Amino acid sequence: MSFQKDFLWGGATAANQYEGGWDEGGRGPAGPDIMTNGSRGASRLITLKLRDDLHYPNHIGSDFYHHHSEDIALMGEMGFKVFRMSISWSRIFPNGDDIIPNEEGLQFYDTIFDELKTQGIEPLVDLSHYEMPLNLTLKYDGWANRKCIDFFLRYCETVFYRFKDKVHYWLTFNEINVATMPIGNFMSLGILNPGTVEFYHQVDDVQKRFQAIHHQLVASARAVILGHSINPAFQIGCMNTMMSTYAATCDPKDVLQNQRYWQMTNFYCGDVQVRGEYPYFAQRFWKENQIDLNWREGDAEALRNGTVDFFSFSYYQTFCVTTHVPKDMVNANMTRGAANEYLKISQWGWPIDPDGLRYTMNELYGRYQIPLFVVENGLGAKDQVEADGSIHDPYRIEYLREHIRAMEEAVEDGVELMGYTPWGCIDLVSASSGEMEKRYGFVHVDCDNLGNGTFERRRKDSFHWYKRVIASNGEDLS
Ligand code: BG6
């Protein structure tokens, strides 16, 4: 048997895409609350004022806020060992800079963690998954402002103390490295530069963006130190998105460009979070881009002492990097790249590459030598509800089966793997397109792209399949 006995099988969600209840229970607005729905061809819009003629899908998400007992029971039925979720920061500190936390928000998560415990499910909690209180964007320019470190730590301290006996696995920032690309400005860093209207075409200030990443890295490290001081048994990980790529040709120029891509996109943040200092290649990047980071006393020490216990990551696809004009382009999580003729693509144009997961895991483990955790993976696809209410999703089962096989191979290769939480285990709003119909779940949620529907939950074929996978600890993939 490849997977360890206590392998953490489960599923993953994020408050902003799943929880809903955006203006209930004392919660303040967060960044994604001002993003409209988009589609594969049309970018989501970011509107400072809410418009009556537009739809803001994150307001209701999948309405977990009112369906949590039912959803957690379904997770229990599948045999989940772990549930990855995030706390909505603005449910705890509605404005981000408040002094006193919102008790009703804390009680909501008390209920969630208690319900998970009843089902024997461990929570794996993201402190920040693509959202921060909107007030911090409007008043402070998001993470560009160093003050956000202290606001974030006040929030961390509150939830670490409150949930110290209920939560043992924590993640600091979701896909922190997305901000190495301009698309990370708003969702990841809470920066809304003047002139930005479309999520896919954000006005960028590279100096500001990398300064904001520095603030997040310091905040992440200080959160790790703080968490360990509150409960030494806490396991605190980083979370990076693996934008795994191949050189499109064996032209050495392509190979070098691909190497540079891995360094600056995949490793820039992870190296700091695991090794405690910026990688050597950052120097040249800063110089060539006229980036002059502002360091304060204590930053270097925090980075050095706040290294993580494990490395978690998302993996969806691969694409190619080239210095030549590519024949075809494909979509990928938050970006685009050169097509790979050996790979099929999903309905949203993302290449499907299970071998790439094994390759990625070996790259990561070889570099960091700490346990890995695949906390996001999956296929966004349209589902058809049959007249009898059943949903047949063999495409999703095939995608997941091949990726589990790839993880198994990586474990055989010697990689240490803690667990697997496929993305959007219960259907939720897509981060990049804001659509509901880009579904990842084992459980269908009756809601369309405009928020119409009953929000009734239905088990898909993949639900029953995944239940068998978990029960057999990955042996039965049939
Ligand atoms: C990751 C994010 O980038 O990919 C999730 O952490 C996101 O928030 C997921 O939902 C899938 O991307 P999308 O755009 O299909 O929702």
Side-chain angles (χ1 to χ4, degrees):
M1 187 178 288
S2 296
F3 297 114
Q4 59 193 43
K5 213 163 66 276
D6 53 356
F7 191 77
L8 293 167
W9 295 98
T13 59
N16 81 86
Q17 292 160 258
Y18 177 56
E19 190 175 282
W22 79 293
D23 59 355
E24 293 179 65
R27 182 184 180 277
D33 294 328
I34 61 166
M35 288 176 77
T36 68
N37 61 316
S39 66
R40 194 177 149 177
S43 179
R44 304 185 73 176
L45 304 178
I46 305 171
T47 71
L48 269 180
K49 285 214 164 29
L50 296 184
R51 283 173 41 184
D52 292 341
D53 57 329
L54 296 175
H55 174 57
Y56 297 87
N58 300 64
H59 287 185
I60 191 159
S62 310
D63 202 19
F64 177 66
Y65 195 71
H66 298 107
H67 288 78
H68 52 84
S69 307
E70 185 185 350
D71 285 3
I72 291 171
L74 285 163
M75 293 171 203
E77 191 182 326
M78 273 187 280
F80 277 23
K81 315 283 182 217
V82 69
F83 173 49
R84 176 175 175 234
M85 53 174 278
S86 66
I87 294 180
S88 162
W89 181 354
S90 62
R91 197 174 281 296
I92 310 300
F93 287 97
N95 303 296
D97 56 358
D98 325 65
I99 305 292
I100 308 286
N102 170 33
E103 178 57 28
E104 205 177 337
L106 291 165
Q107 276 173 18
F108 172 69
Y109 293 109
D110 265 324
T111 307
I112 300 302
F113 300 141
D114 291 346
E115 289 183 349
L116 286 169
K117 189 159 189 208
T118 308
Q119 295 289 342
I121 302 172
E122 283 281 345
L124 164 63
V125 177
D126 280 72
L127 291 156
S128 175
H129 187 129
Y130 282 162
E131 62 175 310
M132 71 192 304
L134 184 60
N135 179 53
L136 296 183
T137 291
L138 305 179
K139 198 159 147 196
Y140 299 92
D141 208 4
W143 281 96
N145 191 323
R146 185 174 272 275
K147 286 195 176 124
C148 283
I149 300 177
D150 291 330
F151 299 143
F152 180 72
L153 288 169
R154 185 184 300 152
Y155 154 67
C156 290
E157 189 175 22
T158 304
V159 297
F160 283 158
Y161 271 116
R162 175 74 170 225
F163 306 125
K164 74 178 169 31
D165 300 319
K166 297 187 179 185
V167 178
H168 294 105
Y169 297 101
W170 298 90
L171 302 176
T172 55
F173 293 93
N174 177 63
E175 297 191 337
I176 189 167
N177 58 322
V178 151
T180 59
M181 303 182 280
I183 196 147
N185 268 303
F186 184 57
M187 234 162 40
S188 189
L189 299 171
I191 294 173
L192 189 55
N193 287 319
T196 291
V197 178
E198 292 192 358
F199 171 62
Y200 268 117
H201 304 104
Q202 297 181 46
V203 176
D204 187 38
D205 174 337
V206 74
Q207 159 73 32
K208 192 204 255 192
R209 180 157 51 87
F210 276 83
Q211 183 65 47
I213 296 176
H214 178 72
H215 293 153
Q216 271 197 345
L217 287 168
V218 171
S220 172
R222 287 180 57 189
V224 172
I225 297 167
L226 178 69
H228 284 151
S229 76
I230 292 172
N231 184 350
F234 278 174
Q235 290 279 304
I236 311 178
C238 58
M239 194 316 194
N240 281 255
T241 183
M242 292 312 292
M243 306 298 291
S244 304
T245 55
Y246 306 113
T249 70
C250 51
D251 177 347
K253 295 215 173 347
D254 278 9
V255 175
L256 277 172
Q257 178 137 320
N258 184 48
Q259 183 179 55
R260 193 71 174 149
Y261 188 85
W262 275 81
Q263 289 175 335
M264 280 312 301
T265 310
N266 290 326
F267 297 140
Y268 179 85
C269 294
D271 280 7
V272 179
Q273 294 179 299
V274 178
R275 296 168 161 174
E277 60 183 11
Y278 279 101
Y280 69 93
F281 52 78
Q283 300 290 341
R284 181 166 185 181
F285 177 83
W286 293 333
K287 202 164 138 210
E288 288 180 355
N289 289 275
Q290 289 88 47
I291 293 170
D292 183 13
L293 287 191
N294 180 318
W295 290 71
R296 289 273 171 86
E297 209 189 319
D299 284 4
E301 197 190 342
L303 295 182
R304 210 167 36 249
N305 296 331
T307 54
V308 291
D309 299 316
F310 63 94
F311 187 99
S312 87
F313 65 100
S314 60
Y315 173 89
Y316 289 93
Q317 82 293 299
T318 58
F319 55 90
C320 293
V321 169
T322 183
T323 54
H324 304 278
V325 177
K327 270 202 236 116
D328 288 305
M329 294 290 281
V330 285
N331 293 334
N333 195 5
M334 308 287 175
T335 190
R336 281 169 71 67
N340 183 336
E341 61 181 303
Y342 299 100
L343 302 178
K344 292 197 186 115
I345 57 168
S346 76
Q347 285 170 335
W348 268 262
W350 295 18
I352 299 173
D353 182 9
D355 290 329
L357 176 56
R358 177 179 177 188
Y359 179 78
T360 301
M361 289 172 70
N362 274 280
E363 285 295 299
L364 288 173
Y365 194 63
R367 192 176 187 94
Y368 298 133
Q369 304 277 304
I370 61 171
L372 304 184
F373 200 151
V374 180
V375 295
E376 277 188 40
N377 172 238
L379 179 74
K382 288 190 179 164
D383 290 328
Q384 171 72 38
V385 183
E386 305 297 338
D388 63 358
S390 57
I391 297 146
H392 306 304
D393 56 347
Y395 35 88
R396 183 168 295 109
I397 294 175
E398 189 189 335
Y399 178 101
L400 295 170
R401 178 192 290 130
E402 293 312 312
H403 284 77
I404 293 173
R405 282 196 176 128
M407 290 189 313
E408 205 170 356
E409 289 294 340
V411 170
E412 289 293 323
D413 293 336
V415 171
E416 218 178 323
L417 180 65
M418 294 168 66
Y420 180 56
T421 56
W423 177 246
C425 49
I426 295 185
D427 289 344
L428 40 65
V429 173
S430 155
S432 58
S433 73
E435 292 161 293
M436 192 70 198
E437 286 183 349
K438 188 180 187 190
R439 298 175 184 275
Y440 287 87
F442 303 113
V443 174
H444 182 274
V445 175
D446 179 39
C447 171
D448 69 13
N449 287 340
L450 294 176
N452 302 309
T454 61
F455 288 83
E456 187 187 337
R457 276 54 176 157
R458 286 193 186 90
R459 295 164 185 79
K460 305 181 192 176
D461 285 356
S462 56
F463 178 100
H464 305 288
W465 172 81
Y466 194 46
K467 185 177 171 175
R468 288 198 303 277
V469 172
I470 297 177
S472 64
N473 199 23
E475 288 278 286
D476 182 1
L477 296 176
S478 60

